[in-house]
Amino acid sequence: MSTPSDKLQEQPRFRWDLADLAPLLTLAVLIVFFSLTGRSFFYPGTVTQVLEQGAVMGIVAAGLTFVLLCGEIDLSVGNMALWTACLCGVMYELPWVAGKGGDKNVPSVLAVALVILLPLLSAIVLGWLSGVLTVSSRLPSFIITLSMMYIASGLALYLTKSEQFHIPWIIERLGNGGFSLSAKLKIPYSALLAGGIMLLSHLVLQYTRFGRYVYMTGGNREATRLAGVRTSRIVIACLALSAWTAGLGGLVNAGRLGSITLDQNADLLLNAVACVVLGGTSLFGGEGGIPRTIVGVLTLSVLRVGLDKIAWIDNYLRTFLLGVVLLGALVLNGFLARRRRTS
Amino acid sequence: MTATIDNVPLLACRGIGKRFGGAVALDGVDFDLRAGEVHGVVGSNGAGKSTLMKILAGAHPDHEGTIEYLGQRVALDGPAASLAHGIAMVYQELSGVGQLSVAENLFLGRQLTGPWGRVQWSTMYEQARKFLAEMDVEIDVRQRLDRFPLVIRQMVEIARGLHSGARVLILDEPTSSLSPPETRRLFALLGQLKARGVAIVFISHFIEDVLEICDRVTILKDGRHVATERSVDLDKHRIIEAMLGRGLAGQEIGYEHAVTLPPPTTVPPILKVNSLSRAGLFRQINLSLSPGECLGLYGFVGAGHQELAHAIAGALRPDQGTVSLLDQPLRGGDLHQAVQRGMVLVAADRAQTLVRSSEIYKNVTLAHLQGAIGNWLTERREMQCVQPLLERVLCRPARPRLLAGNLSGGNQQKVVLAKWLLGDMRVLILEEPTRGMDVGAKEEIMRLVTDLKNQGTAVILATTEPELALSHADRIMTFRRGEISGEFAGLGLDKQTLMKSA
């Protein structure tokens, strides 16, 4: 008879197999492929480009990971990002913020903080509302967040009247600036922010009660409810969280582009969902996590940057190729995951 | 009546047998059915009723024995073959597509179509109305099926069977969820069909219903045929006797002799349930429970005692009435509060109590994460908590990192119990805690429950198995159609008395 501590040690901590590694392998294969085919891919500057591409997607995908883990979906992330950025821009050009001197006036720190925080708060409120409606109406979050998607984009349209707005200097700096490590290699601030959010999300998911409840709610909602966990609150919190990260992503994206217009963030929703799922997080909840999402974000960014660097591809064909490679990777990952479950 | 009963059999089964793996579900059963009779089939859980009916419905083509239809040997090797021989089944858990109209349900799978596949709605509606009118059902056939009460849905299902040319109708527990007037209505219809020469198989737990409507009754026990007799020669007492295996089959099983329930406890109650009601499930239930006491709730499937257990635990919101723990009322349907105050539920369906896709230790710590592990979860702390618990409940294998879904049913239940052992447990509510388990696992689980009870936990045991209630409960309440039909405490009680009371 072995003692309990013996038993603890004889069990492997992790069980790696092909399905776990598949997303990582996809990423490695892509990097090798592009390094061989694209002349200008294997350079430090590419790293900067990949990080810039991935930062916004990463921020949004982090929040979305929570939602997918608890078995729901948030379709409003793209337009939530747009709404947050638009509110920020419109508020920034209000007379009491901009001051009498117009563009040349330097606004106070308090005013800028308000201009950034209030839009983020509004995103949280809208996400919270999606959550409450999802839970109380017992409709799929698919439907509720679809409506919220229209509401957010409608609000943005009404507020901006399709005009262009300036943004606070600090956001522009966040979107474009970075630490220069060498002449070519720069670590963008936005990527640092994304990394910080990813790290925080990972710690929350792995080491807090809330994170455990998210996984268990996604794994089996009824069983978790019968264990006395208030699963509705978990769902609401996840949707609010996802709206917040979406808003943050929207601000960073606006900073990267230097101004706020209505045509931003159009493909953010699809990119973010693709990132999360590409990493191997289940659309049905309970399986996956932030490390997977990071792999997904990097894969998609590498794919986009890499395709741009292959000179002989017809410009109008790039999106099509992106779709084909994405499809292949997703089907392969899904196939391997299913094989693991049945074995 | 005798004129129809003495006809040649419509359906004759000889030596029907069926095994699932090593377990014998049916063993050489003879069964025959005559045109124009209602034939009752009774037996306790696991007696083989549903296996026999599934064979007739073509769900188990690999059975032993022969089946003759009107004297001709037939092979019922699929649902289609059974339907082609005029055998239609009306299942207990309905049946029919609720979102479609009544007429569409009647013509499900064989819609009337004109040239180019156009659906002939007007003809369909007219025929559906005519057909239901023949059964004295006057409803708007264009309405959605799920807007009608259960009895109408059942009748539509019966009509569908008849309309597709059925001469044999199998009804599985048709009255279990019907109110008494609805039952009357169904019986009137069955009488009508009988006169038209349709043969009806009537499977039911409600022996009064069987005696009332059936011409003959077949009793099964442990997969064997015990007796087939005319119902005029039977009474409830004799049927229960035969179901339990005394007399005709000979073999004796436990609890025919009275067990003596302990004298009522004098400890002041911890749990009080006051006129708890939920429409269609249970009505005006009052009960109280003391620490260290085990209260058995016994009834047949659908008697409402299982839903009552859920409502007491807060998993189901009652329409009215209160549940109070230590004289403080609980909010109805607030499971979180109930768990925090130490009242926990182990539901029968382990798909609802276990996150099968997660590791065992995550399942065990789920309910009491804060109390047992704290705010910051580390694997080491969780393992230290979970490992001794798994060994205490004799979970095999006691490996916390295994996926819970990979365990056998009995061990899964042990994990569920371990989950609640992590925190304080004042009231433990069990619903069918040992369903589908082998004898060894059953014993281990119930020994755990007994240990808890002896330590002062109050236990509610809701079950449809009389043996379980008799062997573990200190006090037993029986349920019939959502109401308490009897209470037994401090006296001798045997299985027969118990089952008759339900």
Side-chain angles (χ1 to χ4, degrees):
Chain A
M1 184 75 196
S2 55
T3 63
S5 58
D6 279 348
K7 277 188 191 157
L8 278 177
Q9 271 147 29
E10 80 196 21
Q11 295 161 38
R13 281 182 83 88
F14 298 107
R15 223 162 30 94
W16 286 105
D17 60 22
L18 202 58
D20 289 317
L21 292 177
L24 211 56
L25 279 176
T26 310
L27 177 59
V29 166
L30 282 177
I31 290 175
V32 170
F33 174 78
F34 286 128
S35 303
L36 294 177
T37 53
R39 281 284 163 83
S40 53
F41 184 81
F42 200 68
Y43 284 105
T46 307
V47 174
T48 307
Q49 279 179 335
V50 166
L51 289 180
E52 270 175 353
Q53 280 267 352
V56 175
M57 284 196 292
I59 293 170
V60 178
L64 199 60
T65 305
F66 281 83
V67 177
L68 290 191
L69 280 179
C70 77
E72 302 286 346
I73 184 111
D74 187 353
L75 295 182
S76 65
V77 288
N79 287 327
M80 199 63 78
L82 181 66
W83 152 253
T84 311
C86 287
L87 183 61
C88 176
V90 169
M91 279 178 67
Y92 187 60
E93 296 202 354
L94 286 177
W96 65 268
V97 176
K100 289 205 176 78
D103 284 352
K104 286 164 194 71
N105 193 20
V106 179
S108 71
V109 175
L110 183 72
V112 170
L114 218 58
V115 156
I116 293 172
L117 292 181
L118 224 57
L120 286 176
L121 189 69
S122 78
I124 294 178
V125 170
L126 286 179
W128 175 83
L129 197 64
S130 304
V132 169
L133 290 174
T134 299
V135 167
S136 59
S137 70
R138 292 173 194 204
L139 287 172
S141 49
F142 185 92
I143 302 293
I144 300 291
T145 56
L146 189 73
S147 319
M148 194 53 76
M149 176 177 122
Y150 283 107
I151 289 175
S153 104
L155 281 174
L157 181 64
Y158 178 73
L159 208 62
T160 59
K161 309 273 193 292
S162 294
E163 282 174 50
Q164 189 171 352
F165 288 87
H166 291 103
I167 47 167
W169 169 83
I170 182 153
I171 290 191
E172 216 172 322
R173 192 88 186 95
L174 180 68
N176 286 312
F179 292 114
S180 290
L181 294 182
S182 69
K184 290 266 175 56
L185 184 61
K186 190 177 77 173
I187 305 292
Y189 293 137
S190 56
L192 285 178
L193 181 67
I197 285 175
M198 292 280 194
L199 182 66
L200 198 67
S201 303
H202 181 63
L203 293 180
V204 166
L205 280 175
Q206 293 305 312
Y207 298 106
T208 67
R209 279 191 298 141
F210 173 69
R212 178 64 55 81
Y213 291 157
V214 169
Y215 274 101
M216 299 307 255
T217 302
N220 187 336
R221 175 96 34 112
E222 183 64 9
T224 311
R225 188 181 79 89
L226 285 184
V229 176
R230 284 174 285 205
T231 49
S232 348
R233 294 192 184 184
I234 303 298
V235 170
I236 293 170
C238 285
L239 281 166
L241 200 68
S242 151
W244 177 69
T245 55
L248 202 59
L251 289 182
V252 172
N253 204 23
R256 196 164 66 95
L257 300 169
S259 69
I260 289 164
T261 50
L262 266 185
D263 56 357
Q264 292 171 4
N265 304 320
D267 54 356
L268 189 56
L269 164 68
L270 299 179
N271 283 339
V273 174
C275 287
V276 179
V277 177
L278 200 55
T281 292
S282 164
L283 270 174
F284 305 105
E287 258 179 86
I290 293 293
R292 286 167 177 269
T293 298
I294 294 177
V295 173
V297 170
L298 290 178
T299 308
L300 197 59
S301 312
V302 164
L303 194 56
R304 292 170 62 134
V305 172
L307 277 176
D308 277 346
K309 300 222 171 207
I310 302 181
W312 46 266
I313 294 182
D314 186 336
N315 255 332
Y316 295 104
L317 210 58
R318 290 189 204 281
T319 307
F320 169 74
L321 285 176
L322 183 81
V324 170
V325 177
L326 205 59
L327 193 66
L330 284 172
V331 169
L332 188 70
N333 291 354
F335 176 72
L336 290 171
R338 197 170 55 248
R339 211 189 57 169
R340 173 180 56 170
R341 229 164 283 141
T342 51
S343 68
Chain B
M1 198 199 282
T2 43
T4 52
I5 282 190
D6 293 336
N7 277 343
V8 273
L10 187 63
L11 196 67
C13 311
R14 295 280 164 266
I16 302 293
K18 173 79 188 132
R19 285 157 204 284
F20 294 106
V24 179
L26 277 181
D27 186 11
V29 170
D30 294 345
F31 178 76
D32 65 299
L33 191 62
R34 296 165 188 158
E37 75 164 339
V38 180
H39 194 136
V41 178
V42 298
S44 359
N45 294 327
K49 291 171 300 195
S50 51
T51 311
L52 179 60
M53 292 313 132
K54 277 184 184 160
I55 287 173
L56 290 182
H60 295 309
D62 57 339
H63 64 87
E64 299 159 15
T66 60
I67 298 173
E68 288 180 2
Y69 184 76
L70 288 172
Q72 293 233 309
R73 197 171 160 180
V74 294
L76 301 178
D77 49 7
S82 289
L83 273 178
H85 289 107
I87 303 172
M89 184 129 180
V90 177
Y91 287 95
Q92 177 184 9
E93 61 300 323
L94 288 168
S95 79
V97 185
Q99 296 92 323
L100 294 183
S101 72
V102 172
E104 281 170 295
N105 269 286
L106 269 174
F107 289 92
L108 204 62
R110 40 188 189 87
Q111 282 180 325
L112 303 176
T113 50
W116 299 320
R118 192 179 67 83
V119 178
Q120 294 176 323
W121 289 106
S122 52
T123 325
M124 240 170 75
Y125 286 141
E126 198 174 320
Q127 284 204 21
R129 203 168 324 157
K130 215 171 76 191
F131 209 76
L132 285 172
E134 278 174 30
M135 299 179 14
D136 284 330
V137 181
E138 302 277 354
I139 53 171
D140 183 358
V141 294
R142 285 168 299 186
Q143 297 272 349
R144 279 166 61 129
L145 183 65
D146 56 9
R147 299 182 58 170
F148 293 102
L150 215 50
V151 65
I152 298 288
R153 299 187 61 171
Q154 231 162 21
M155 287 178 169
V156 170
E157 198 66 11
I158 291 172
R160 186 161 81 96
L162 292 174
H163 204 47
S164 57
R167 298 194 54 193
V168 177
L169 264 181
I170 304 172
L171 307 180
D172 185 11
E173 294 285 351
T175 57
S176 65
S177 31
L178 299 186
S179 67
E182 287 178 329
T183 305
R184 295 264 76 76
R185 193 157 178 204
L186 179 70
F187 283 1
L189 171 64
L190 295 187
Q192 232 184 72
L193 297 177
K194 207 167 87 169
R196 280 162 53 181
V198 176
I200 296 158
V201 182
F202 189 95
I203 309 166
S204 184
H205 274 303
F206 295 111
I207 291 159
E208 291 97 339
D209 289 350
V210 170
L211 284 172
E212 182 181 343
I213 188 71
C214 296
D215 302 308
R216 291 192 302 160
V217 179
T218 289
I219 302 160
L220 298 177
K221 178 184 173 295
D222 298 336
R224 270 191 288 271
H225 178 254
V226 178
T228 298
E229 297 205 20
R230 286 151 46 108
S231 56
V232 286
D233 302 333
L234 287 168
D235 57 30
K236 186 172 183 182
H237 181 78
R238 285 199 53 199
I239 290 183
I240 289 178
E241 231 177 27
M243 275 166 62
L244 299 185
R246 226 192 299 174
L248 298 164
Q251 213 178 33
E252 293 214 336
I253 53 161
Y255 301 108
E256 296 145 37
H257 304 296
V259 286
T260 310
L261 298 175
T265 166
T266 52
V267 185
I270 179 174
L271 178 79
K272 284 184 195 148
V273 173
N274 196 3
S275 63
L276 208 63
S277 299
R278 164 107 186 186
L281 296 175
F282 48 83
R283 281 179 298 282
Q284 299 293 327
I285 304 293
N286 293 298
L287 56 86
S288 67
L289 184 63
S290 301
E293 187 188 23
C294 176
L295 171 65
L297 307 180
Y298 170 75
F300 294 118
V301 175
H305 57 306
Q306 290 164 321
E307 289 82 1
L308 174 67
H310 278 250
I312 293 175
L316 185 75
R317 193 185 299 277
D319 294 335
Q320 51 168 316
T322 53
V323 178
S324 34
L325 190 63
L326 289 168
D327 287 328
Q328 285 182 315
L330 295 165
R331 278 192 297 274
D334 187 346
L335 235 147
H336 177 77
Q337 190 194 27
V339 169
Q340 294 308 309
R341 304 263 301 269
M343 181 156 70
V344 307
L345 169 73
V346 176
D349 184 1
R350 275 185 296 283
Q352 288 182 357
T353 55
L354 213 63
V355 186
R356 287 188 168 130
S357 55
S358 283
E359 291 88 341
I360 292 172
Y361 75 90
K362 290 183 181 167
N363 274 288
V364 173
T365 55
L366 180 60
H368 295 289
L369 263 181
Q370 189 169 31
I373 316 292
N375 279 325
W376 195 250
L377 313 179
T378 64
E379 263 209 342
R380 164 174 286 273
R381 236 183 285 167
E382 287 193 66
M383 290 304 152
Q384 281 169 354
C385 251
V386 171
Q387 188 73 49
L389 266 181
L390 287 185
E391 275 155 31
R392 178 173 159 203
V393 300
L394 302 171
C395 176
R396 278 179 294 266
R399 285 169 50 192
R401 283 196 187 87
L402 212 65
L403 291 186
N406 291 344
L407 292 173
S408 68
N411 284 302
Q412 289 187 2
Q413 192 72 311
K414 291 174 191 168
V415 170
V416 175
L417 280 172
K419 165 165 74 184
W420 297 121
L421 286 171
L422 205 55
D424 286 338
M425 211 190 303
R426 292 200 177 101
V427 181
L428 171 63
I429 300 172
L430 302 164
E431 180 199 356
E432 301 291 357
T434 59
R435 183 192 280 167
M437 290 177 198
D438 61 81
V439 185
K442 249 182 199 177
E443 222 168 82
E444 285 172 356
I445 294 216
M446 290 322 287
R447 196 177 303 143
L448 263 168
V449 173
T450 309
D451 285 350
L452 284 168
K453 193 183 87 173
N454 293 339
Q455 289 161 24
T457 304
V459 180
I460 291 180
L461 178 60
T463 181
T464 55
E465 293 173 32
E467 295 88 352
L468 192 70
L470 284 167
S471 54
H472 291 94
D474 302 324
R475 188 155 60 93
I476 300 180
M477 285 178 160
T478 54
F479 284 75
R480 189 190 294 152
R481 295 192 171 146
E483 280 168 349
I484 296 174
S485 56
E487 180 167 358
F488 302 94
L491 44 75
L493 177 64
D494 61 12
K495 196 164 153 182
Q496 255 185 51
T497 323
L498 185 66
M499 287 178 77
K500 258 195 259 176
S501 167

